[in-house]
Amino acid sequence: MTAPALLWFRQDLRLADNPALHAALAEGGEILPVFIHDTAAERGLGGASAWWLHHSLTALSAALEKRGAALLTLRGDAKALIPELAAKIGAGGIHAGRMVEPWARRRDEAVHKALEKQGRKLELHTSQVLIEPHRLRSGAGSPYAVYTPFAKAAMERYEPRPPIPAPGKIPGATPPVKPEPVASWHLLPRAPVPDWAKEFPARWTPGEAGALKKLGAFIEDGLKNYDSRRDLPGIDGSSSLSPHLHWGEVSPRQVFHAVSESKVTGKGAEVFLKEILWREFSYHLLWHRPEMPEKPLRHEYSHFPWKPDAALLTAWQQGRTGYPIVDAGMRQLWRTGWMHNRVRMIVASLLVKHMLQPWHQGEAWFWDTLVDADLASNAANWQWVAGCGTDAAPYFRIFNPMLQGEKFDPDGDYVRRWVPELAKVPAKWIHKPWEAPDIVLAQAGLRLGRDYPLPVVDHAKGRARALAALAEVTGKSRQGGGDEG
Ligand SMILES: Cc1cc2nc3c(=O)[nH]c(=O)nc-3n(C[C@H](O)[C@H](O)[C@H](O)COP(=O)(O)OP(=O)(O)OC[C@H]3O[C@@H](n4cnc5c(N)ncnc54)[C@H](O)[C@@H]3O)c2cc1C
């Protein structure tokens, strides 16, 4: 009789286009699917990610059950649990999707070594990315550090093939130990902590079915005009696929395939696929530069003269900086677990430039509050904004939050939605209410400094201070740096 295969789910919580599942099925025996809430993982889950995981596992469990297999959910040290399980069931193959996160790579190495002692091995399959990072290098043999040549090479290397369909039946093996109910892990907010996730269910449906529905709806309604709508935070112009992609409820290959099957061509589809490649680029960067979440990729930034200030950080986190577009973004983040990409860039820029707060503080807050918190994309983007990434926005380009607001939220709809104190401020002043005449503020029922803060950092002074700090690390003074917008 064929030995059962162990299928270790991690960040690939789906049944379709899952090469690890496919390989486990190909062995021809029973399959034991397992998910381990790894208490020894070096980076714990953020709060919003924990919320997502609870619901995504519930969905995966039900989908597996329907096909004949029960998901074994366990909590503990995966380095010990996987080899133990493999021995207990007398496993044939042990399959998982390859992860790029450095802590997960170290963990896989340890699991692999432990399995080797049993004469077994951990088989890792391409799952999170289109192309494995170790398979893509420049002509000179080094990893790509700049997006454009990376994207070009990735497209040349990518082999389109239809995604693997979800199996109709999965012959489940009897678990050798009792599962721990996911509910017992307390991944959801619970008293006495207020339910900060209460608005999430209206916005999100974690799990593979939710992911595929979202992909289908976006291809149908959003893809064609994605290029012109994606930068406007006041409308639903992007796909909102990021948390689904992070947890692997849908694979990047499925997304690429759906776009090509849709026959939507032109700028919309082109720009959208480029964004998926930004994700891919971040994963490749993390693979080659595993220090990325902790250390600046440009070494000169190790001595950046940050000015940590708890009050400023709190004002930013709570959406009370006095810059309407920034506060709208931070409040959208808190209430929905997501923030529009354009606004992520603006809030990040304000934190690291005008406020001179270390980018790690922003990265950590995003890690805790984003449902799509992703080690690679988060760190790569924070480094990009802070100017210390390999392919970074030049540090001297300092976003002007007023101009950005006027350009991308011209009527102020986005600000009004998330910052109700400003609901009655006319569009002309909504991105800079402190410049509005008293009569306008009085008519809008707004007492600045009481109902809504004045800017916590003056734009011009903040900008000058940031440029001076930049000159300190690079040795170059840069007076000509322009505001973007
Ligand atoms: C400071 C900062 C931090 C960020 N942190 C994260 C994070 O933790 N997790 C995360 O998934 N994205 C992160 N992003 C990237 C981007 O903001 C989100 O991926 C995007 O807003 C998700 O919305 P969407 O799915 O509607 O994107 P769409 O515009 O529909 O794009 C499609 C997909 O492409 C990928 N993508 C798009 N833009 C980027 C990008 N700049 N970098 C990497 N991948 C991208 C995402 O997987 C996204 O789902 C961050 C951006 C900034 C500026």
Side-chain angles (χ1 to χ4, degrees):
M1 206 172 108
T2 312
L6 188 59
L7 172 61
W8 182 13
F9 280 105
R10 294 110 67 95
Q11 269 167 218
D12 47 359
L13 306 182
R14 65 178 183 276
L15 302 185
D17 200 41
N18 187 327
L21 167 60
H22 188 64
L25 278 169
E27 290 191 21
E30 292 182 333
I31 294 181
L32 179 63
V34 59
F35 181 91
I36 297 173
H37 180 24
D38 196 345
T39 48
E42 290 164 37
R43 192 182 254 238
L45 285 174
S49 296
W51 178 89
W52 192 282
L53 179 62
H54 173 100
H55 294 290
S56 191
L57 284 176
T58 309
L60 178 68
S61 209
L64 282 164
E65 198 91 40
K66 236 169 104 183
R67 288 166 170 84
L71 178 66
L72 175 61
T73 45
L74 294 174
R75 180 168 47 171
D77 182 354
K79 289 192 292 300
L81 285 173
I82 290 292
E84 268 169 41
L85 277 176
K88 275 193 181 134
I89 64 167
I94 296 110
H95 300 276
R98 183 178 281 108
M99 291 174 66
V100 299
E101 288 76 357
W103 64 268
R105 288 169 66 185
R106 284 191 285 273
R107 183 178 69 175
D108 285 349
E109 194 57 37
V111 169
H112 191 70
K113 281 205 176 113
L115 286 172
E116 255 179 355
K117 290 189 190 137
Q118 304 175 4
R120 300 188 161 91
K121 63 177 183 180
L122 177 63
E123 292 180 45
L124 297 174
H125 303 267
T126 305
S127 195
Q128 274 183 328
V129 288
L130 296 164
I131 302 157
E132 290 294 356
H134 56 274
R135 296 194 191 282
L136 191 69
R137 285 181 180 269
S138 73
S142 48
Y144 286 96
V146 176
Y147 170 80
T148 306
F150 166 84
K152 190 167 173 279
M155 279 301 78
E156 279 163 14
R157 187 68 196 263
Y158 176 61
E159 291 164 16
R161 59 155 174 79
I164 310 164
K169 282 211 166 9
I170 300 173
T174 311
V177 290
K178 250 180 79 164
E180 272 191 48
V182 172
S184 71
W185 299 348
H186 302 302
L187 298 174
L188 302 179
R190 59 183 176 141
V193 175
D195 185 5
W196 43 261
K198 61 180 182 296
E199 293 180 50
F200 288 16
R203 172 88 164 81
W204 304 107
T205 309
E208 186 172 12
L212 295 178
K213 195 167 163 201
K214 188 156 280 171
L215 175 62
F218 173 71
I219 299 264
E220 184 80 17
D221 304 326
L223 182 61
K224 193 162 171 274
N225 298 315
Y226 173 78
D227 55 317
S228 55
R229 291 165 53 89
R230 62 186 279 264
D231 252 335
L232 306 174
I235 58 174
D236 247 356
S238 68
S239 71
S240 294
L241 279 169
S242 48
H244 299 289
L245 278 162
H246 168 76
W247 283 108
E249 297 167 355
V250 62
S251 70
R253 180 176 288 278
Q254 283 173 290
V255 175
F256 257 61
H257 186 72
V259 171
S260 96
E261 286 291 285
S262 75
K263 309 282 180 247
V264 175
T265 51
K267 271 254 169 257
E270 192 187 307
V271 176
F272 178 66
L273 294 180
K274 279 192 177 150
E275 294 306 312
I276 303 288
L277 289 177
W278 270 106
R279 173 184 178 276
E280 186 89 3
F281 181 50
S282 306
Y283 280 44
H284 283 232
L285 273 180
L286 182 59
W287 178 272
H288 294 295
R289 303 288 302 269
E291 75 277 20
M292 184 169 75
E294 280 86 37
K295 292 191 189 147
L297 297 180
R298 286 175 193 263
H299 302 300
E300 65 270 29
Y301 282 82
S302 324
H303 305 294
F304 196 89
W306 303 112
K307 302 229 173 332
D309 179 322
L312 277 184
L313 180 64
T314 305
W316 180 81
Q317 290 171 335
Q318 294 182 345
R320 296 196 54 77
T321 65
Y323 287 102
I325 189 90
V326 172
D327 295 338
M330 297 309 290
R331 296 184 199 187
Q332 178 184 33
L333 172 61
W334 182 253
R335 283 177 48 193
T336 67
W338 185 88
M339 192 197 301
H340 188 275
N341 179 58
R342 167 63 44 184
V343 189
R344 290 188 203 200
M345 293 192 276
I346 303 169
V347 304
S349 172
L350 192 91
L351 185 77
V352 297
K353 296 187 177 169
H354 296 77
M355 293 182 166
L356 285 184
Q357 300 307 297
W359 62 267
H360 306 93
Q361 300 277 11
E363 193 268 354
W365 184 252
F366 272 26
W367 181 259
D368 198 24
T369 53
L370 277 173
V371 286
D372 65 25
D374 181 278
L375 197 64
S377 298
N378 202 25
N381 277 284
W382 274 98
Q383 293 227 21
W384 183 86
V385 176
C388 52
T390 53
D391 188 13
Y395 187 91
F396 59 80
R397 188 189 287 166
I398 296 173
F399 277 74
N400 176 325
M402 291 75 75
L403 291 184
Q404 289 281 317
E406 284 162 6
K407 184 165 175 192
F408 296 107
D409 184 33
D411 301 325
D413 296 343
Y414 179 70
V415 165
R416 284 197 193 87
R417 174 150 176 223
W418 298 109
V419 189
E421 304 93 292
L422 303 178
K424 297 204 177 108
V425 176
K428 182 170 179 200
W429 309 107
I430 194 144
H431 293 292
K432 43 183 182 205
W434 60 91
E435 286 185 13
D438 289 346
I439 177 83
V440 172
L441 294 179
Q443 278 164 357
L446 183 67
R447 292 162 306 173
L448 273 180
R450 289 178 69 182
D451 306 322
Y452 182 72
L454 286 156
V456 286
V457 187
D458 174 75
H459 170 63
K461 284 192 195 138
R463 183 169 176 277
R465 203 168 62 139
L467 288 173
L470 171 74
E472 219 176 299
V473 289
T474 61
K476 291 182 217 147
S477 83
R478 183 78 198 219
Q479 296 310 322
D483 290 329
E484 183 160 290

